[in-house]
Amino acid sequence: MEMEMEIPVIDFSKLGNEKRAETMALLHEACQKWGFFMIENHDIDNSLMDEVKLLMKGHYEQNMQRNFQSSDAAKSLDMNTNTNTNECIIKDKDWETTFFIWHRPNSNINDFTALSPHLRDAIDEYIKQLMKLAEKLSELMCENLGINKEHIKEAFAGSTGPSVGTKVAMYPQCPRPELIRGLREHTDAGGIILLLQDDQVPGLEFFKDGKWVKIPPSKNNRIFINTGDQVEIVSNGVYKSALHRVMAMKDGSRLSIATFYNPAADALISPASDLLLPNRIRFQDYLNLYTKTKFGDKAQRFQSLKTMN
C-alpha cells in the first residue's frame, strides 16, 4: 500500500533562535520515528545546486543515455514487453544508470574524464559545502541522543577520517514501470545520506508504519536526509535506518545525487557506551540499590549501575 504523508521538514535557520528547542525535538522525532526527513535553509548555495543538477542532466544525455539502451535492464524489459501483468517481475535488475565518485579520504573525480571540468569543479564545491552540513547533522544527532557531540564523527573516523562518496543515478523514463523497480527495496549500509534529488520527477518511496510513503520531488533545493545502518548501530537502535526503493516512472527521467557520510573502512562501529543499559550486573547488587531508590528515577538508577561496572 502507498500513501501520501507530510514528511518532517527541519528548518536549520531556527537552530540559532528561540525556536531551537522545538526544532531539535522535531529532528529527534524524525530520526527516531521516520528515519528520513528534509532540510531547508541549510546554507548550501542554491545556484550551485541548480548548476550541479543542470550539468549532471546534460552529462547523462551526452554520455550515459545511449549506453543504457543496451544495458541488461533495458534488454530484460524488451524481453518482457508483451507480458500481461501489473506486477514487478524483473527481480534481479534495477532501472537505473549510475556511477560513484569518492571525495574523502581521497577524491577520484578526475578519473571521470567524461565529466566536464566545469561539472567537476561544481561537484567539488558542492561537496565542500555539503560536508559542513553532514558534520553539523551528526553533532545535532549526538546532542539529541545525549552523547558527546563529536561521537559519530569520531566513531566514523577510523585511521583516515569519515568516508564520503556520491552515487549519481538517473532513473530513465520507463515504458513498462510495472515490470521493474528503479531500485529495489533496501536500507543504506552507511551513516548519513544527503540527497540532492530531481525537482520535477518523483519515484522515491520509504516504508513507514507498514506503508510505502511517496517522497515528492525536492522543491526549493531542500536536501533529503535518511539515516543508514551505522547510525542505527551507534544509536543503539534509537535511530532506525529506513527501508526504501525507487519506482520506475513512465513520465520523465529522475535525477538522484546521493552523498554518503560513512565510516572509514577500518572504523570499528558499536553502540555508544552512554546509550547502553547496564550489563553483567549481579542481581543482588541491583536489588540493594533498588531498595534505596525504588521511588526515584529509573534512569539515574541505571546510570549508577553503569559506574559500578
Side-chain angles (χ1 to χ4, degrees):
M1 182 182 292
E2 299 170 357
M3 65 181 299
E4 300 287 348
M5 195 178 284
E6 197 68 30
I7 297 156
V9 178
I10 314 300
D11 184 347
F12 263 42
S13 69
K14 293 181 178 177
L15 290 168
N17 60 32
E18 71 281 358
K19 296 281 191 180
R20 188 179 197 278
E22 180 184 321
T23 305
M24 289 292 286
L26 180 61
L27 174 62
H28 183 59
E29 182 181 37
C31 292
Q32 189 174 33
K33 297 183 178 177
W34 294 70
F36 56 96
F37 51 93
M38 293 185 181
I39 294 179
E40 62 184 10
N41 297 320
H42 41 60
D43 287 339
I44 299 174
D45 186 272
N46 272 308
S47 60
L48 176 64
M49 296 168 76
D50 288 336
E51 184 178 28
V52 168
K53 287 189 288 186
L54 182 66
L55 292 172
M56 200 61 81
K57 286 179 180 178
H59 173 77
Y60 163 73
E61 290 167 2
Q62 293 171 25
N63 299 283
M64 300 169 71
Q65 191 170 21
R66 185 177 301 170
N67 288 342
F68 180 73
Q69 303 310 319
S70 58
S71 69
D72 288 343
K75 289 175 182 174
S76 294
L77 197 71
D78 285 342
M79 290 169 57
N80 288 280
T81 49
N82 296 320
T83 304
N84 185 18
T85 181
N86 290 318
E87 295 182 8
C88 175
I89 62 167
I90 302 172
K91 306 288 189 184
D92 60 343
K93 296 178 179 63
D94 301 303
W95 190 259
E96 67 170 0
T97 176
T98 182
F99 60 96
F100 196 94
I101 305 169
W102 284 107
H103 312 293
R104 306 281 191 282
N106 300 302
S107 172
N108 68 347
I109 194 168
N110 289 325
D111 295 344
F112 295 90
T113 54
L115 297 177
S116 69
H118 188 185
L119 177 52
R120 275 179 269 171
D121 289 345
I123 292 171
D124 277 342
E125 179 57 34
Y126 168 66
I127 294 300
K128 190 186 301 181
Q129 295 185 26
L130 195 68
M131 276 288 295
K132 294 178 182 176
L133 177 60
E135 291 182 343
K136 179 68 173 175
L137 255 177
S138 75
E139 292 174 3
L140 295 172
M141 287 178 183
C142 288
E143 183 179 339
N144 270 333
L145 289 166
I147 60 179
N148 184 297
K149 73 173 189 176
E150 303 290 325
H151 184 92
I152 290 177
K153 197 187 309 182
E154 291 172 356
F156 283 12
S159 61
T160 59
S163 294
V164 182
T166 296
K167 176 187 174 183
V168 179
M170 184 67 81
Y171 298 93
Q173 189 169 354
C174 183
R176 292 292 303 276
E178 69 279 5
L179 298 182
I180 191 170
R181 293 278 185 266
L183 181 61
R184 285 161 286 172
E185 293 82 350
H186 65 288
T187 62
D188 287 325
I192 300 172
I193 297 84
L194 306 96
L195 173 63
L196 175 60
Q197 67 164 343
D198 207 287
D199 57 4
Q200 299 293 327
V201 181
L204 181 61
E205 296 183 353
F206 272 73
F207 199 65
K208 175 176 166 52
D209 299 335
K211 300 178 177 67
W212 286 103
V213 179
K214 294 182 179 182
I215 308 301
S218 292
K219 301 297 183 184
N220 304 316
N221 279 329
R222 286 173 168 171
I223 297 282
F224 183 86
I225 307 291
N226 70 281
T227 47
D229 296 345
Q230 304 313 302
V231 168
E232 181 165 338
I233 294 171
V234 168
S235 71
N236 197 30
V238 177
Y239 293 167
K240 299 289 193 292
S241 59
L243 191 69
H244 55 285
R245 67 187 183 186
V246 179
M247 306 302 285
M249 303 303 289
K250 198 162 191 172
D251 300 317
S253 300
R254 175 180 174 270
L255 175 66
S256 165
I257 304 172
T259 300
F260 297 81
Y261 180 75
N262 282 355
D266 63 352
L268 298 175
I269 305 299
S270 63
S273 58
D274 285 348
L275 297 174
L276 293 175
L277 291 171
N279 61 81
R280 300 184 66 81
I281 294 296
R282 199 165 68 100
F283 183 54
Q284 188 59 55
D285 293 335
Y286 184 84
L287 280 179
N288 292 343
L289 181 62
Y290 179 79
T291 56
K292 300 173 188 173
T293 61
K294 178 176 180 177
F295 300 107
D297 183 355
K298 177 179 68 177
Q300 290 183 5
R301 185 159 63 241
F302 281 177
Q303 190 60 41
S304 298
L305 287 164
K306 284 185 192 178
T307 61
M308 289 169 58
N309 280 354

